[in-house]
Amino acid sequence: MKQELFHSLDDESLRLAVLAPATRQVRAQSPAVKAQVYAQMTPGQRALFMFQVLFEHSRNSTEEYYKWCATLMEEKTWGEVKGALKHLRDEAMLQFLEETEEFLLVWKQAGVVEDEAFLAEAERRNARYHELAARTIERIGEYVRSHPEEFVQWEEEA
């Protein structure tokens, strides 16, 4: 990437640009290929990638949000998502996801799924998640700009 482009991107564009190579490598691939690509990432790349997994799969609706959180918890990937937020030092989002985890576990143990109280709380949590995600994306921008060596190889300026 050219340094001029790197420094001109807003936080969201920078996040997507530095994740694009990994995203292309794992899209529509087997779990083994995905694991291999993930293992080759730097700690910063892994953190961004795991946030990306949660964010991109849960951004369109409340239902996607809580179902994707539950899926990541069942697949044991949830710990990687929380580890990503620790790496980025995003305590607010980390605490929120831990509260979301507790919320989903309580409802699962109660055996009541998708009643009015659950849906209202899920809606509230989804709105709060999006507020916090905007700040997480800002943190990611700050992190990438502070650690470009973890994310990009500089192209020669012409």
Side-chain angles (χ1 to χ4, degrees), residues 5 17 25 32 58 115 124 127 152 155:
L5 175 61
Q25 286 181 302
S58 64
D115 69 359
R124 187 189 69 75
V152 296
E155 291 180 16

Side-chain angles (χ1 to χ4, degrees), residues 8 11 17 71 83 105-106 108 123 130 133 139 143 147:
S8 71
D11 295 333
T71 297
L105 290 173
V106 165
K108 184 178 180 179
E123 187 70 37
H130 285 284
R139 282 186 173 277
Y143 186 90
H147 303 89

Side-chain angles (χ1 to χ4, degrees), residues 5-25:
L5 175 61
F6 178 87
H7 294 296
S8 71
L9 296 173
D10 63 32
D11 295 333
E12 176 70 1
S13 299
L14 183 60
R15 177 181 72 85
L16 294 173
V18 300
L19 284 170
T23 302
R24 282 191 299 270
Q25 286 181 302

